[in-house]
Structures are given as C-alpha cells and as structure tokens.
Amino acid sequence: MARIAAIDMGSNAIRFYVVETGGDSPYRVLENIREPIRLGGDVFLKGTIREENIRKAEAAFRRFRQLLKAHGVQTVHAVATCATREASNADLLLGRLERVSGIRVEVISGDEEARLIALAVGKRIPLGKKSALIVDLGGGSVEITFVENGRITLTDSHNFGAVRLLDMLSTAEDDLRSAGQLLGEYMDLVGRKLSRRGNGKKAALFIATGGNIEAIAAIPDVRAEPHPDYPETVCIKAGNLRRLMEELSGMSLKSRMERFGLREDRADVILPACFVYHRIAELNGSEEILVPRVSLKDGVVQEILEQAKGAEHLLDLREQVCVSCRGMVARYKLDPKHAEKVTDLALSLFDQTEPLHGLGKQERIYLEAGALLHDIGYFISMQRHHKHSHYIIVNSEIVGLTPAERLIVAGISRYHRKATPDPAHPEYEALPKKDRVTVSSLAAILRIADALDKEHNSSVRSVECRLQNGSLLLRAVSRKSCRLEALGVTANAAMFRDHFGVDVKLTIEQEG
C-alpha cells in the first residue's frame, strides 16, 4: 500500500490531501484539510501576498509536515495556482514554505491545471467517446477545457475567478446592475473565444468542478440528483441554478450564511460563481450541469499514480501533446503533409540512432513536438521563421508540456535551420546544461529530417541508417531522384557531424 499527498495552494484556500492506494483499487482518503487562507485577496488588488498570509501559510505547512510524517507518506506533490503565479513576492513565499516544511511547491500554468483537473474528471466520467466542456472556477481564474475522444483539444484560462470578481465588484458600484454588467462583459468575452477557438462546436457534456460548484450542489434548493450513469457524480438543472442565483442576489452575506449554512469565505463568492457556471452552460446550450466532485488535488494524485506506470503514462502523455501540436498546425495554417512527413522521418532517425544520442522516450516526445511545429514561425515571417517558431512555441500552451519543456521544444524548432546552437544566443545559454545537450542532439536529427523533405512533396518514403567506420550511412527510398533533398542533407550534415562526431553519407534509391 502506498501513501500519497497532494497540496493545492489556491487563491481562496490551501488544500491538503493524503490518500492510500494499492493496485488498481480506488484510493482511500486519509486526510482532506482545507486551510482558508485567501492569498488571492492580496494579489488581485495589490500584486503581492501580505506578510500576515505568508505566516498563516507557513503555519499550515508546518502542520502538513507533521501529518506527512504521521501518515508515513512516501510521495508528496505540492502545486500553486493563479494567486502565486501573479504575486510579485512569490519566490519569497515559496522559499519560506520550503524552509519551514521541506516541501517544494511547483507553480503550475493554467494549462497544466486544466490538464490535471481533466485527468481527475476522467476517472469519474468516462470521456473516451464523448465531447465534454469542463469548467473549473477557482479563486483567481476559470479554466475552460474542451475534451474530445478522451483528449484535450482546447484549453483557455481566464483571469476572473470568484475571489478576483468579488474584489472587482467591491470596488465598483454596489448595485446589482453594475455587477451584472461587469460579469456579463466577462462572459461575452468567454463566449467569443469559445466560439472562435472551438469552431462553434458544442459539447455533449457540461462538467463543473471546484469548491464553489460543490457548495452549490450541496444546497437543498438546487435539488442536485445522483447521475444514473456516473457514480459519485451529481447533476444540477441549469434552471435550478438560475433560481438560486436570483435568490442569492437579493440576500446579504449574513443571510446567505444563515439560510444555506455557508462559511463566510464561501458565502461572499458564491453569487459570482453561480453567474459564471450558469452563463457558460447557456453558451454551450446545456440544460444540466454534471458535478463529479473532484478537484485539482485529485488530479495531482492521479498524475502521481499514472507516472508510476512508466511507459504507459508516457504513451498517454505523448498522444495528448501531439493532439495539442496538431491543433496548432491547423490553427497557424501550416503545411500538414510536410509537418507529418518531417516528423515521421525525424522519429525514424531518432529510433535508429539511439546508440549515438542515448536519449529516451521523454526526449522522443520533445522531438515529435518540435518536428510538428518547426515551421510554425511562417505565420509571422518566412525569412526568419525558425526564430519566430521559437517565440510562438514558448508563448503557447501545449497541453502535457511544462514551460521548461516548451523551452526545449522551442529550441529544437529554432535550430532546425540556419545558425547552430551557440552560447552567445540568450535563449540557448539560459537552458540548463542537460537541456542544451538535448536541444543540440534533437535539432541535429531534425535538420536531417527536414532536409529529406526539402521540396515539401513527401517524395522520400522511408530512411534506413547504420553506423559504419565512423560514418552514419543513410539509405532513403524515394519515388524520384530527390536532388534537392540530397543537397539539403549535405548542407545540414555539419551540425550532426560536429555534435555526434560522425559523418553523414546519403544514398537515395528510387522505387521500382
């Protein structure tokens, strides 16, 4: 039996979660603690976390350390979301928490937050053959995720979580008309982005997660009912949510607490939460909202369990990364046939030259992503597209890749042509030494693969290679002579030779 802990340092509270798991059976919850420390209340108004809340967080992490020891936890993963992402003194907070507890907190992107939540949802509601819109409303942001056939095809993070909205509304006029207008403007923006990025598609299922929707579902007036097909999931009618919203809008904070048994830090944010969930349900045309009662902390635990599966987890992660990359290929109007051909050739070369580069399955995912996206800079300019590719990849959300991993993929794409990696290049020099080696190795392979489809016509069917007498002998099978491809390989072989210490010699054989 393994014991795992997850810590979710959110904008409205810090959550501590300890579970016990064994084999394929569902895990058993040993601790589920919520510390009502509202980090976002400082950040969203002033940009920093005040000292009082840092001390409260330190005290909470000291207790977490004691509980980890008491439960004999083997693995702990702590994550921080929107408030910490935006705080100018985040490094101070994280450093102090690690000193008092020994727990290192990872600040994750909104994209990674959405992926982990979708992972948790998928364990309650099978998503393999369904389209689903997953909405998670936190204190500082709302993550909107579109899932098709079990893979995330769209993620969008919007900076108007419940605590942030509450702060904004408290600084505006207090009448309901002003509040409604502000919320309405935000939701109109969401509607436009969903329509544009989702190509107007509607999801079959609307799934809501987060503490606010769980609190809403617990209110008897909402009449949440167990879903007949999904155990541990309840269903809320959109009409019932609207009636609750209308009732809440006419009540004081104290009345909400007394009438619905809400904590003060829930009673104040529940109205804007109702509005957001109801409005997105309207935008998707959903008459019911599914509440699987999972959150980010469940996704963190599930990710730890998936990682323990090793190769199986990497295969699943690879598929998700490729779905995101192919979505970018379509969105930026690249030549999909060239992208796929170069990717196939690059992966073939990677697999056959493993004795040279010694890289593994994780690095193979980076190469696949870099190959699919190597020409994405054409969207800005053809002349310097390799540099623009770097910029676009670094600043895009690729589901399944961390920001540090995106830097690796961006480097691979950046060096698929023109200048080779150089410490004088700031984007290369800033990488850790291990990542610089990875970028150089994979970019050298990508250069050869790209040269083998220089005319963008997929003439080269396949490539075989073998090491012999200090040279890498390439045998390409093609449907034409491929003179330009041969010249391209010769021109791009220098980086491969300089990095791996072997010459590259190409032979092209025509089919038939």
Side-chain angles (χ1 to χ4, degrees), residues 37 40 46 66 106 160 163 180 187 193 211 247 264 321 345 388 390 449-450 476 484 504:
I37 304 169
K46 300 179 181 178
Q66 293 169 353
E106 178 189 3
F160 57 89
V163 173
M187 298 317 301
K193 294 186 78 172
E247 184 176 0
E264 183 177 356
V321 169
L345 292 170
H388 297 309
H390 185 281
D450 188 44
L484 285 180
V504 177

Side-chain angles (χ1 to χ4, degrees), residues 50-63:
R50 66 175 182 268
E51 174 64 21
E52 177 188 354
N53 275 343
I54 293 178
R55 288 199 300 270
K56 287 181 179 179
E58 285 179 312
F61 269 66
R62 288 191 190 97
R63 289 193 293 276

Side-chain angles (χ1 to χ4, degrees), residues 23-282:
D24 294 327
S25 59
Y27 51 76
R28 183 167 67 95
V29 178
L30 304 178
E31 294 280 358
N32 189 4
I33 299 171
R34 180 183 186 275
E35 295 284 353
I37 304 169
R38 186 170 281 181
L39 301 177
D42 306 327
V43 175
F44 304 142
L45 288 177
K46 300 179 181 178
T48 61
I49 299 170
R50 66 175 182 268
E51 174 64 21
E52 177 188 354
N53 275 343
I54 293 178
R55 288 199 300 270
K56 287 181 179 179
E58 285 179 312
F61 269 66
R62 288 191 190 97
R63 289 193 293 276
F64 298 162
R65 180 184 60 186
Q66 293 169 353
L67 288 168
L68 291 172
K69 185 176 180 180
H71 284 293
V73 170
Q74 295 99 334
T75 306
V76 58
H77 189 190
V79 299
T81 56
C82 188
T84 309
R85 284 198 296 266
E86 296 185 22
S88 61
N89 59 344
D91 289 343
L92 172 68
L93 168 69
L94 299 177
R96 286 173 59 172
L97 293 180
E98 187 171 359
R99 279 197 297 274
V100 302
S101 67
I103 300 169
R104 177 170 296 180
V105 181
E106 178 189 3
V107 181
I108 61 174
S109 66
D111 181 64
E112 177 67 0
E113 191 176 347
R115 185 185 72 85
L116 291 171
I117 290 166
L119 187 62
V121 169
K123 291 300 175 180
R124 291 281 172 88
I125 302 174
L127 300 175
K129 295 183 180 180
K130 298 180 177 68
S131 62
L133 187 65
I134 303 173
V135 177
D136 182 79
L137 178 66
S141 63
V142 58
E143 268 63 56
I144 299 174
T145 307
F146 200 91
V147 178
E148 296 177 277
N149 298 317
R151 294 286 173 261
I152 295 172
T153 56
L154 179 153
T155 62
D156 226 340
S157 184
H158 299 267
N159 285 337
F160 57 89
V163 173
R164 193 193 302 267
L165 284 172
L166 182 70
D167 291 338
M168 288 179 176
L169 295 178
S170 68
T171 59
E173 297 178 30
D174 289 331
D175 61 86
L176 291 173
R177 182 176 299 176
S178 296
Q181 286 176 347
L182 180 58
L183 286 167
E185 289 171 7
Y186 270 114
M187 298 317 301
D188 287 344
L189 172 63
V190 171
R192 289 194 296 272
K193 294 186 78 172
L194 275 177
S195 179
R196 184 172 67 251
R197 292 192 60 185
N199 296 320
K201 290 181 289 188
K202 306 295 184 184
L205 302 178
F206 176 51
I207 301 169
T209 62
N212 285 300
I213 196 66
E214 291 184 18
I216 291 166
I219 295 174
D221 294 38
V222 175
R223 298 199 293 277
E225 297 179 353
H227 196 284
D229 299 324
Y230 311 124
E232 301 183 80
T233 296
V234 298
C235 181
I236 298 173
K237 298 294 184 184
N240 292 344
L241 181 60
R242 180 172 184 82
R243 282 188 284 274
L244 174 66
M245 183 170 64
E246 291 170 349
E247 184 176 0
L248 287 169
S249 66
M251 300 173 70
S252 66
L253 180 64
K254 183 178 180 181
S255 297
R256 294 178 196 172
M257 294 170 65
E258 293 174 350
R259 169 83 168 80
F260 300 117
L262 298 169
R263 300 185 309 269
E264 183 177 356
D265 69 337
R266 185 66 70 194
D268 58 358
V269 296
I270 198 167
L271 178 57
C274 281
F275 189 98
V276 170
Y277 284 119
H278 183 267
R279 181 66 181 124
I280 295 179
E282 282 186 326

Side-chain angles (χ1 to χ4, degrees), residues 253-379:
L253 180 64
K254 183 178 180 181
S255 297
R256 294 178 196 172
M257 294 170 65
E258 293 174 350
R259 169 83 168 80
F260 300 117
L262 298 169
R263 300 185 309 269
E264 183 177 356
D265 69 337
R266 185 66 70 194
D268 58 358
V269 296
I270 198 167
L271 178 57
C274 281
F275 189 98
V276 170
Y277 284 119
H278 183 267
R279 181 66 181 124
I280 295 179
E282 282 186 326
L283 291 169
N284 192 59
S286 301
E287 295 183 359
E288 62 179 22
I289 303 167
L290 276 59
V291 184
R293 293 184 287 204
V294 294
S295 63
L296 177 60
K297 64 184 188 299
D298 296 284
V300 172
V301 167
Q302 197 59 50
E303 176 76 352
I304 294 170
L305 296 175
E306 294 293 324
Q307 287 175 343
K309 297 178 181 179
E312 184 179 342
H313 170 67
L314 283 177
L315 176 62
D316 187 68
L317 190 66
R318 170 189 168 266
E319 290 177 357
Q320 178 58 76
V321 169
C322 288
V323 166
S324 288
C325 290
R326 289 188 173 98
M328 291 176 67
V329 168
R331 192 159 63 249
Y332 285 90
K333 304 185 187 307
L334 301 187
D335 177 352
K337 289 184 178 180
H338 175 66
E340 295 291 348
K341 173 52 69 174
V342 170
T343 300
D344 288 344
L345 292 170
L347 294 180
S348 178
L349 290 169
F350 178 93
D351 294 339
Q352 295 180 73
T353 58
E354 191 276 334
L356 279 177
H357 57 69
L359 299 174
K361 290 183 173 63
Q362 188 71 55
E363 290 80 12
R364 193 178 191 273
I365 294 173
Y366 302 153
L367 175 61
E368 189 165 9
L372 285 168
L373 301 177
H374 72 281
D375 279 343
I376 202 166
Y378 273 125
F379 188 80

Side-chain angles (χ1 to χ4, degrees), residues 386-387 389-390 409-417 419 425 427:
H386 54 297
K387 294 184 178 181
S389 292
H390 185 281
V409 172
I412 296 165
S413 295
R414 187 254 187 267
Y415 291 113
H416 84 272
R417 67 191 291 268
H425 299 160
E427 64 271 31

